[in-house]
């Protein structure tokens, strides 16, 4: 576990000649080292007709290179030296990451640089990975009782004209229609050095980390032209209610609000309001709805943590038999209205601060999670060193700040609603 945040993380930042940003966080107490690459492209950057391309590339990036790395060899090579590797896609970024023994750092950097510069996008690879993504969609979304919830929430909260209005998993018709030229254009548009941030965290000296990054990624040619502007969109101000009758185990009600993006100073106060309401067994929603009033089998609240001009928070609950949607939403609105009027108690404020601090320090204590947090701050907030002042900003949030954020962003009349009703 890391010590107090007065012991700031050592961070060394540089920009290579081709525009790629590098952050090195040396930590000689770690037995391994994390390599974490973010490309600033996600599902929100997909044009109409190309929904799912960002997620598709998460899979295609493991399909080998024209320089001689075979399909799936990247992952197998990392595992052969005792490391692990994976990737993920979100609305705002696509992330590729390895954690390896210190002696394998250069191997991991070489593999990442090779697929940045020489990815093999072939008709065969495209056909294979397209089917993998479609099967993932069937398993996670199409054939589960509440699998359409995210799609309904995004459409209801953002609308189909907003870049956040469709889920990351993508559209089967768009994937089926994708041709090789479409995906190679997507790769050349977004997978370029000046749209990427590399974080190296763990058992490596700062100078060595920067030297190795420049050795492997500095050789990647700079892209021509500018990176496209990140797509923005109009925020939806109406608050629709959608009811879906389904053979679901329990009627489920989800309420969603527009909230400030992670780049907004209000974001932290909203996040702490969300924690007061729905984080932990002593939070207001869980204590009242689940433990005292027995209205729900489960309830949770979270914020999406989006970066592009707006985000969204949601409350989702599975109702007990005999409980109506109106009873549930009335109780949720009452709890939120009370927090907006009076703010959290001192005990609640201290609890939430302690939870945030514990979770933050736990995440920073593990090099792979730390590298990802550093990359989020560098890629989306523009400055990885902000991690060293995060807890100071948390401690500066007062009860009044939380009450005001709740009034401004979580008002009941601003909520859209999705109901999955038992058939």
């Amino acid at each position: 576990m890391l010590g107090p945040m007065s012991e700031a993380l050592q961070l060394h930042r540089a920009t290579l000649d081709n525009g790629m940003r590098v952050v090195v966080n040396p930590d000689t107490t770690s037995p391994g080292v994390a390599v974490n690459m973010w490309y600033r492209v996600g599902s929100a950057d997909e044009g109409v007709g190309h929904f799912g391309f960002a997620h598709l590339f998460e899979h295609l990036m493991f399909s080998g290179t024209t320089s001689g790395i075979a399909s799936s060899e990247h992952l197998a090579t990392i595992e052969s030296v005792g490391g692990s590797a994976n990737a993920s896609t979100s609305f705002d970024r696509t992330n590729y990451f390895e954690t390896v023994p210190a002696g394998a750092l250069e191997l991991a950097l070489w593999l990442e640089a090779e697929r940045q510069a020489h990815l093999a996008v072939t008709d065969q690879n495209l056909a294979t990975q397209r089917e993998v993504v479609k099967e993932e969609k069937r398993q996670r979304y199409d054939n589960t009782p509440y699998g359409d919830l995210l799609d309904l929430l995004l459409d209801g909260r953002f609308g189909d004209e907003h870049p956040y209005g469709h889920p990351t998993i993508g559209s089967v018709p768009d994937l089926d229609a994708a041709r090789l030229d479409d995906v190679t254009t997507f790769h050349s548009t977004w997978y370029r050095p000046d749209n990427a941030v590399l974080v190296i965290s763990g058992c490596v000296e700062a100078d060595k980390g920067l030297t190795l990054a420049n050795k492997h990624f500095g050789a990647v040619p700079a892209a021509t032209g500018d990176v496209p502007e990140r797509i923005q969109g109009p925020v939806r101000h109406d608050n629709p209610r959608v009811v879906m009758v389904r053979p679901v185990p329990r009627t489920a009600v989800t309420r969603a609000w527009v909230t400030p993006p992670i780049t907004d100073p209000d974001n932290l106060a909203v996040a702490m309001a969300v924690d007061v309401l729905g984080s932990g067994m002593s939070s207001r929603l869980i204590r009242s709805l689940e433990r005292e009033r027995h209205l729900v089998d489960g309830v949770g609240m979270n914020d999406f943590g989006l970066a592009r001009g707006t985000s969204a928070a949601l409350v989702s609950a599975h109702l007990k038999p005999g409980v109506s949607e109106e009873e549930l939403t009335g109780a949720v609105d009452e709890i939120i209205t009370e927090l907006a009027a009076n703010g959290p108690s001192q005990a609640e404020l201290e609890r939430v601060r302690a939870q945030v601090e514990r979770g933050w320090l736990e995440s920073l204590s593990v090099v792979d999670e730390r590298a990802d947090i550093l990359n989020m701050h560098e890629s989306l907030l523009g400055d990885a060193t902000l991690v060293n002042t995060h807890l100071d900003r948390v401690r500066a949030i007062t009860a009044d700040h939380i009450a005001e954020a709740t009034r401004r962003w979580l008002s009941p009349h601003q909520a859209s609603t999705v109901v999955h009703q038992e058939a």
Side-chain angles (χ1 to χ4, degrees):
M1 180 71 71
L2 293 178
M5 287 306 290
S6 57
E7 300 176 12
L9 296 177
Q10 294 183 52
L11 300 174
H12 302 263
R13 301 162 71 207
T15 301
L16 306 184
D17 289 344
N18 58 19
M20 196 177 87
R21 285 179 285 163
V22 180
V23 179
V24 179
N25 163 230
D27 177 8
T28 56
T29 68
S30 171
V33 61
V35 172
N36 190 290
M37 176 73 75
W38 276 38
Y39 291 92
R40 280 169 50 92
V41 56
S43 59
D45 298 293
E46 299 163 344
V48 174
H50 291 164
F51 290 171
F53 273 35
H55 181 220
L56 178 63
F57 260 96
E58 176 196 324
H59 292 263
L60 282 171
M61 286 286 277
F62 289 94
S63 293
T65 70
T66 59
S67 58
I69 299 172
S71 179
S72 302
E73 190 176 2
H74 184 123
L75 182 59
T77 302
I78 291 295
E79 291 179 344
S80 73
V81 297
S84 61
N86 213 328
S88 66
T89 309
S90 76
F91 297 94
D92 291 313
R93 59 94 181 114
T94 309
N95 179 23
Y96 303 88
F97 48 94
E98 295 89 4
T99 303
V100 294
L105 171 60
E106 186 163 8
L107 172 66
L109 293 173
W110 173 75
L111 287 167
E112 283 293 352
E114 285 298 292
R115 66 177 173 184
Q116 182 182 90
H118 307 295
L119 184 67
V121 183
T122 66
D123 282 316
Q124 181 179 350
N125 289 342
L126 173 58
T128 299
Q129 299 307 323
R130 174 167 41 212
E131 292 307 311
V132 170
V133 172
K134 287 164 61 177
E135 179 60 24
E136 182 179 342
K137 185 176 188 297
R138 282 190 287 269
Q139 291 184 3
R140 294 175 54 192
Y141 295 90
D142 298 344
N143 298 324
T144 60
Y146 308 97
D148 59 350
L149 175 59
L150 181 60
D151 208 348
L152 295 168
L153 274 176
L154 295 175
D155 182 62
R157 189 60 283 160
F158 297 110
D160 59 8
E161 294 184 7
H162 197 282
Y164 290 147
H166 65 278
T168 301
I169 192 67
S171 157
V172 169
D174 287 2
L175 292 170
D176 281 337
R179 296 295 176 262
L180 192 60
D181 286 350
D182 298 326
V183 295
T184 55
T185 298
F186 188 89
H187 182 265
S188 62
T189 299
W190 298 106
Y191 280 76
R192 44 192 284 170
D194 56 348
N195 198 43
V197 173
L198 168 68
V199 172
I200 304 171
S201 179
C203 190
V204 60
E205 294 180 355
D207 288 346
K208 181 178 180 181
L210 292 172
T211 297
L212 289 176
N214 189 57
K215 174 183 176 181
H216 293 287
F217 289 92
V220 179
T224 58
D226 296 328
V227 178
E229 288 189 30
R230 288 167 75 78
I231 302 171
Q232 304 292 322
V235 177
R236 187 170 187 170
H237 293 291
D238 62 323
N239 301 298
R241 173 178 174 270
V242 178
V243 178
M244 304 298 292
V245 178
R246 293 280 192 268
V248 293
R250 284 280 188 272
T251 293
V253 177
T254 302
R255 302 265 275 170
W257 293 262
V258 167
T259 56
I262 59 173
T263 55
D264 190 300
D266 261 5
N267 171 264
L268 194 51
V270 172
M272 293 183 71
V274 167
D275 285 342
V276 170
L277 291 165
S279 177
M281 294 302 293
S282 58
S283 63
R284 294 191 179 195
L285 290 170
I286 294 175
R287 185 181 69 245
S288 176
L289 303 181
E290 189 171 344
R291 297 167 59 195
E292 296 175 354
R293 301 170 68 174
H294 307 292
L295 299 179
V296 300
D297 285 323
V299 61
M301 186 173 190
N302 65 282
D303 191 277
F304 279 86
L306 303 175
R308 206 169 307 212
T310 186
S311 187
L314 61 88
V315 172
S316 188
H318 289 235
L319 279 55
K320 284 188 174 295
V323 176
S324 68
E325 173 198 345
E326 292 74 19
E327 186 176 6
L328 185 279
T329 55
V332 170
D333 292 350
E334 175 187 319
I335 292 167
I336 292 177
T337 299
E338 200 285 328
L339 180 63
N342 300 310
S345 67
Q346 186 61 32
E348 286 178 312
L349 184 59
E350 290 174 359
R351 173 185 68 81
V352 168
R353 284 174 176 167
Q355 284 182 330
V356 171
E357 182 168 351
R358 185 203 68 217
W360 182 253
L361 295 178
E362 284 180 349
S363 295
L364 292 184
S365 70
V366 184
V367 290
D368 53 355
E369 292 186 44
R370 185 195 313 164
D372 202 49
I373 290 171
L374 288 168
N375 216 328
M376 184 276 285
H377 282 75
E378 184 69 24
S379 295
L380 301 184
L381 303 182
D383 186 356
T385 65
L386 289 171
V387 297
N388 286 325
T389 58
H390 176 75
L391 290 183
D392 292 334
R393 293 193 297 278
V394 169
R395 294 169 186 137
I397 298 295
T398 67
D400 287 343
H401 291 141
I402 292 173
E404 171 57 28
T406 305
R407 286 193 296 272
R408 180 177 179 186
W409 297 101
L410 301 177
S411 171
H413 75 270
Q414 295 173 331
S416 60
T417 306
V418 174
V419 181
H420 280 89
Q421 190 166 310
E422 296 175 71

